Amino acid sequence: FKISSTDGECVDAYTDLTFGISTNEVAQCSYDFSNKNFADMSFDFGGNDYSTNHTTMIVLPDPSHGQSQGGNWTGQLSLYAKCRDTKGNENPSSYVINLCVKEGPDKTPPLIKSTTPENDALISFNSSEQKVQFVTNELSTCRWDSEDKSYELMSNEMSCDDSIASPSSSIGYLCNATLPTTNSENTFYVRCEDQPWLNDSTQRNSNQQSLIFVLRKPDKPITIDYIEPSKDFESSTDFTTINLVVGTSGGGAAHKCSYSFSGYDKMIELFETGGSVHKQPLNVPAGENTIYIECKDETRDSARGETNFEIIEDSSPPQIIRIWKEGSQIKFVTDEEAECSFSTENCNFNWDETKATTMDIAHSIEIKKGDTLYIKCRDQFSNLPSSCSAVISSA
């Protein structure tokens, strides 16, 4: 198989050359620049996943650049590919892909292909500087400035330590810089120049337009606004399911929150997180509880908080603490919110066959002269006394 340009000639140097192969069954595929066993091949297709379609991308230098560094590559190239299926069976011989790369002269400036972080990215609210990586399509030197200037007049050199045909990045050559970030919006101008091995700068190609590179800070840092539950409450069981809810604001757009019962060393991400409200159902024991919360945004800024609450196990029925008569009504007060029902016969009545008062602490029941009321009260957890809560007679 042969790879060529659209006119049937050699491919251009320093272009992203994307190509692939297909297999008749799912397999892993790798390649190298010499014929080797599958396990010894240096490069893989598509992350070396099991698939039937396998794609990779390479960037090939200008042959004249390699020759200027003492190499003898003429631009002719063969790639040797092999595949291995899920049972370990591999091709007995390599599949050969031939191509050639056009040789200079180089008349085009470098291309800045990517940056880390991305252009116009959010950075830490409290940062005073930011490390940045710039990837170029060919070996270059790069500079930056706070004003738009020609490459020769830019004040700040980057660290570009790659060598020809040995890029640090899978998509090109790496240059590093540490940029000052004291403002809410920080703008930089970046230019690069190719063929750094040449002493005569007039033979080199530099960018005639700057890459305008911007780093922004959030308006305010990420904060935790509230954590629920935050108050003590009652439950009738040893364990209670609570809804942990965390509210955040500030920072970047993507907030991720985690929780722990033991501190900030081992945090667990909440089920529902990513925006400004974060939720997680939890099964929590009765007694004192502390939940630790940590939230981070895409700048890696973080905020911490905790909530403390007690779950009071309530297994006792409500008590009537005051009774009085007003006209034809018996009025009484319970020591907790409850609903109360009654019979005029005895305490062993069927609750579902009677009409109860509403859930409250204050209650009233009509009573007729000569009647005796056998009253029972139950709380929100259905705790009910074994006998009457009160027996009241009307003379």
Side-chain angles (χ1 to χ4, degrees):
F1 191 81
K2 182 179 180 180
I3 296 175
S4 63
S5 61
T6 54
D7 58 6
E9 301 298 327
C10 296
V11 298
D12 291 329
Y14 297 117
T15 57
D16 293 346
L17 179 59
T18 301
F19 62 97
I21 58 177
S22 297
T23 51
N24 64 341
E25 62 176 308
V26 293
Q28 295 173 315
C29 295
S30 298
Y31 71 95
D32 213 314
F33 295 101
S34 59
N35 197 7
K36 297 179 180 179
N37 293 324
F38 179 87
D40 298 326
M41 288 185 166
S42 303
F43 310 98
D44 57 61
F45 286 86
N48 218 13
D49 297 327
Y50 282 102
S51 176
T52 57
N53 292 311
H54 313 267
T55 304
T56 191
M57 189 272 289
I58 59 175
V59 179
L60 298 170
D62 189 311
S64 65
H65 291 178
Q67 292 162 15
S68 68
Q69 302 299 294
N72 59 2
W73 180 45
T74 62
Q76 299 293 328
L77 193 65
S78 293
L79 303 179
Y80 298 85
K82 281 188 176 183
C83 299
R84 181 172 60 188
D85 66 16
T86 56
K87 295 184 178 180
N89 301 311
E90 64 181 67
N91 305 116
S93 58
S94 294
Y95 186 83
V96 184
I97 303 169
N98 296 305
L99 71 154
C100 61
V101 183
K102 290 181 182 178
E103 185 172 355
D106 185 353
K107 296 181 179 181
T108 58
L111 171 67
I112 299 175
K113 300 175 64 177
S114 71
T115 66
T116 305
E118 294 182 351
N119 200 349
D120 202 35
L122 279 178
I123 57 173
S124 172
F125 179 83
N126 295 313
S127 67
S128 58
E129 61 182 26
Q130 176 69 43
K131 292 183 178 179
V132 182
Q133 294 182 332
F134 296 87
V135 178
T136 58
N137 67 326
E138 59 178 306
L139 189 65
S140 307
T141 53
C142 295
R143 295 177 180 176
W144 67 269
D145 208 299
S146 56
E147 298 179 0
D148 195 5
K149 301 176 181 179
S150 67
Y151 176 82
E152 293 77 13
L153 296 178
M154 284 188 165
S155 305
N156 305 282
E157 296 274 357
M158 294 190 194
S159 174
C160 305
D161 298 325
D162 285 355
S163 59
I164 190 74
S166 298
S168 296
S169 168
S170 61
I171 61 171
Y173 296 84
L174 202 62
C175 287
N176 297 283
T178 301
L179 305 179
T181 55
T182 55
N183 302 319
S184 58
E185 184 171 302
N186 306 271
T187 301
F188 308 94
Y189 299 88
V190 178
R191 297 193 189 201
C192 299
E193 191 171 66
D194 68 5
Q195 305 175 83
W197 55 86
L198 296 178
N199 294 323
D200 186 356
S201 61
T202 61
Q203 298 180 34
R204 300 175 66 182
N205 303 296
S206 60
N207 298 124
Q208 298 305 298
Q209 287 187 322
S210 296
L211 167 68
I212 302 175
F213 185 72
V214 179
L215 295 172
R216 295 182 295 112
K217 295 183 180 182
D219 294 334
K220 63 177 185 176
I222 182 174
T223 57
I224 296 175
D225 299 326
Y226 61 86
I227 307 172
E228 297 293 345
S230 59
K231 297 179 180 179
D232 300 345
F233 61 93
E234 293 183 340
S235 174
S236 63
T237 58
D238 293 339
F239 282 84
T240 303
T241 299
I242 65 166
N243 288 315
L244 178 64
V245 182
V246 181
T248 56
S249 62
H255 298 180
K256 295 291 184 70
C257 292
S258 302
Y259 73 95
S260 172
F261 290 99
S262 59
Y264 297 104
D265 292 336
K266 295 182 179 179
M267 306 294 288
I268 304 169
E269 189 172 289
L270 274 71
F271 282 164
E272 187 178 332
T273 189
S276 59
V277 179
H278 319 265
K279 299 178 181 179
Q280 167 89 43
L282 294 172
N283 201 26
V284 180
E288 297 281 352
N289 286 277
T290 299
I291 301 178
Y292 302 89
I293 301 294
E294 183 174 50
C295 300
K296 296 180 179 180
D297 64 9
E298 64 265 41
T299 73
R300 307 308 298 167
D301 284 346
S302 63
R304 288 179 172 181
E306 62 182 66
T307 182
N308 301 278
F309 57 91
E310 182 181 5
I311 301 177
I312 302 164
E313 187 173 357
D314 183 1
S315 58
S316 302
Q319 302 292 317
I320 296 177
I321 57 176
R322 184 187 174 199
I323 304 174
W324 72 97
K325 188 173 183 293
E326 284 188 12
S328 62
Q329 288 190 327
I330 295 296
K331 295 191 173 184
F332 54 98
V333 176
T334 51
D335 63 351
E336 61 178 308
E337 287 193 346
E339 54 182 359
C340 299
S341 192
F342 70 94
S343 169
T344 57
E345 297 179 358
N346 55 53
C347 291
N348 297 321
F349 58 86
N350 187 334
W351 181 279
D352 295 330
E353 294 177 357
T354 62
K355 184 178 180 180
T357 63
T358 57
M359 184 70 71
D360 205 340
I361 60 171
H363 312 268
S364 62
I365 299 175
E366 289 284 339
I367 188 170
K368 295 178 182 179
K369 187 175 181 179
D371 280 350
T372 298
L373 302 183
Y374 299 87
I375 301 173
K376 280 187 176 184
C377 297
R378 70 179 183 183
D379 62 16
Q380 60 181 321
F381 307 116
S382 297
N383 292 317
L384 198 66
S386 56
S387 58
C388 282
S389 298
V391 178
I392 303 171
S393 299
S394 175

